[in-house]
Amino acid sequence: MEENKRIMNFRPEIKILDATLRDGGLVNNFYFTDEFVRDLYKANVKAGVDYMEFGYKASKEIFDVDKFGKWKFCNEDDIRDIVGDNVSDLKISIMADVGRCDYKNDIVNRSDSAVDMVRVATYINTMPAAIEMIEDANRKGYETTCNIMAISNANETDIDIALEMLGKSCVDGIYIVDSYGSIYPEQMRVIADKYVEVGEKYGKEIGIHAHNNQQLAFANTIESVSRGVNFLDATMSSMGRGAGNCAMELLLGFLKNPKYNLFPVLQFIEKHIVKLQQEGVVWGYDIPYLLTGRLNQHPSAAIDFTKEKRKDYSEFYQWLLERE
């Protein structure tokens, strides 16, 4: 009964983050037109979305700026060109990957930035470095989250230790991340309970970032909502790496908060997402992603399979089984 209340009732604590530029940028190497980004920003404002992630704060010493669009690096001037002083209620976020970001130099003080929140992405084994990045961002005045990636491949004891480390840190939020799209709703229920327990103990928000390899990104997102998770990632038409993410249009259509408005999202999809698909940009559920998700494997092999336009699914499945 309590679960139904959490799903059916209006919960002002719920916040939506649009990750289209960041996760979607992995599909097209972040080559979005300024019109696309500006219209996405305006659509999110009109739709009542709470946060918009503009991309990564990647190191230019590690990544060649000539091989990626500007949202791989999120320069302050580029963000300002889109949002100006951002007088809206929408907050701006960026993601910083452990080991792939010169955060001490590239992330400036919040008072000099258009960004409101820094999301630190880490694997279990780099948690100390992640906490160092979180502390740096906190000192600079940002809201912070930690996105623990690939938890389906992590040892449960290690997850417990990581959650305790984050609970005792200055981080504002902790994200469940189903990187491989391999988690089922009944598993998500248990995971969400674990994270929420830590969140309640230490006063942290809990979020979810789901992938759609088995067409469960939306199901896992609303399952986590029923367990008390409040920060929800979504992308326009599921645009994201490989099979993509929880669809913004599904999530807005489901949530009961009257401030959320589906219509601007549909307008944006009609104008921009359909065009990208017609131009040959590929993402979304497909058999290769189902197979890597089912086997709890990184989708890189499925991405390569899809790019090669192969259809020998059974042979691919056999190859995946043999390499386990």
Side-chain angles (χ1 to χ4, degrees):
M1 184 64 71
E2 181 61 31
E3 292 179 34
N4 290 335
K5 288 181 180 179
R6 282 177 167 167
I7 289 179
M8 297 306 298
N9 289 353
F10 163 55
R11 278 175 40 202
E13 300 87 2
I14 288 178
K15 308 294 181 186
I16 297 178
L17 183 142
D18 171 53
T20 305
L21 285 187
R22 202 272 307 165
D23 216 313
L26 297 170
V27 175
N28 65 351
N29 287 336
F30 302 90
Y31 285 113
F32 296 101
T33 66
D34 285 351
E35 181 187 21
F36 180 102
V37 179
R38 192 168 287 111
D39 284 354
L40 179 59
Y41 168 72
K42 292 177 180 177
N44 279 319
V45 170
K46 292 177 180 177
V49 170
D50 302 282
Y51 291 84
M52 176 175 167
E53 191 164 59
F54 268 67
Y56 285 100
K57 198 71 173 178
S59 170
K60 295 176 183 176
E61 297 297 319
I62 299 175
F63 297 95
D64 187 343
V65 295
D66 294 327
K67 294 182 179 179
F68 297 94
K70 53 191 171 185
W71 306 112
K72 179 76 170 179
F73 308 100
C74 285
N75 296 327
E76 286 291 336
D77 289 344
D78 292 330
I79 297 175
R80 292 281 187 189
D81 283 345
I82 301 298
V83 307
D85 292 327
N86 188 28
V87 294
S88 73
D89 293 331
L90 177 73
K91 292 185 177 183
I92 306 302
S93 79
I94 56 170
M95 180 165 279
D97 270 354
V98 170
R100 300 176 182 177
C101 173
D102 183 11
Y103 63 94
K104 291 181 179 178
N105 296 311
D106 290 343
I107 298 179
V108 300
N109 288 331
R110 170 68 186 88
S111 57
D112 299 319
S113 176
V115 175
D116 300 286
M117 181 166 70
V118 174
R119 305 211 299 172
V120 174
T122 182
Y123 292 102
I124 289 286
N125 64 334
T126 53
M127 190 57 62
I131 290 176
E132 185 176 298
M133 290 174 64
I134 289 162
E135 290 172 344
D136 179 81
N138 177 266
R139 284 193 298 270
K140 290 173 178 175
Y142 294 97
E143 297 176 39
T144 58
T145 72
C146 185
N147 294 36
I148 310 174
M149 299 183 290
I151 60 167
S152 60
N153 262 358
N155 179 282
E156 187 171 352
T157 301
D158 290 342
I159 295 174
D160 291 339
I161 294 171
L163 290 176
E164 281 296 311
M165 291 172 68
L166 288 170
K168 295 173 182 177
S169 77
C170 60
V171 77
D172 297 302
I174 306 168
Y175 261 81
I176 303 164
V177 184
D178 183 14
S179 301
Y180 301 163
S182 62
I183 296 174
Y184 294 98
E186 60 268 27
Q187 296 171 310
M188 182 58 69
R189 190 178 308 131
V190 175
I191 294 167
D193 286 349
K194 178 193 294 286
Y195 277 64
V196 168
E197 182 179 356
V198 171
E200 291 176 347
K201 178 180 177 182
Y202 291 105
K204 311 296 185 184
E205 288 289 355
I206 303 301
I208 180 170
H209 180 87
H211 279 264
N212 205 37
N213 297 59
Q214 299 187 89
Q215 297 200 34
L216 292 172
F218 176 58
N220 281 329
T221 298
I222 63 174
E223 184 65 41
S224 71
V225 169
S226 78
R227 310 309 294 181
V229 172
N230 288 329
F231 275 57
L232 315 177
D233 281 16
T235 61
M236 301 293 176
S237 286
S238 297
M239 187 180 185
R241 185 206 65 195
N245 308 102
C246 176
M248 180 67 75
E249 57 274 23
L250 280 172
L251 190 57
L252 287 184
F254 168 78
L255 293 173
K256 306 304 181 288
N257 190 334
K259 85 165 192 167
Y260 295 134
N261 183 1
L262 180 60
F263 194 70
V265 168
L266 298 177
Q267 288 181 312
F268 177 83
I269 292 170
E270 180 181 321
K271 180 178 179 181
H272 289 287
I273 297 296
V274 172
K275 181 181 178 183
L276 281 182
Q277 292 171 328
Q278 290 173 340
E279 291 171 349
V281 181
V282 177
W283 72 88
Y285 168 80
D286 202 350
I287 297 295
Y289 300 120
L290 158 67
L291 298 176
T292 57
R294 183 178 183 278
L295 296 174
N296 194 21
Q297 295 184 14
H298 193 284
S300 56
I303 291 171
D304 291 340
F305 182 97
T306 303
K307 286 180 179 179
E308 294 167 7
K309 299 182 178 180
R310 292 170 56 188
K311 300 298 180 184
D312 52 328
Y313 302 130
S314 58
E315 184 174 334
F316 179 63
Y317 186 40
Q318 185 64 38
W319 180 79
L320 291 174
L321 289 169
E322 290 173 354
R323 74 172 191 168
E324 278 203 305

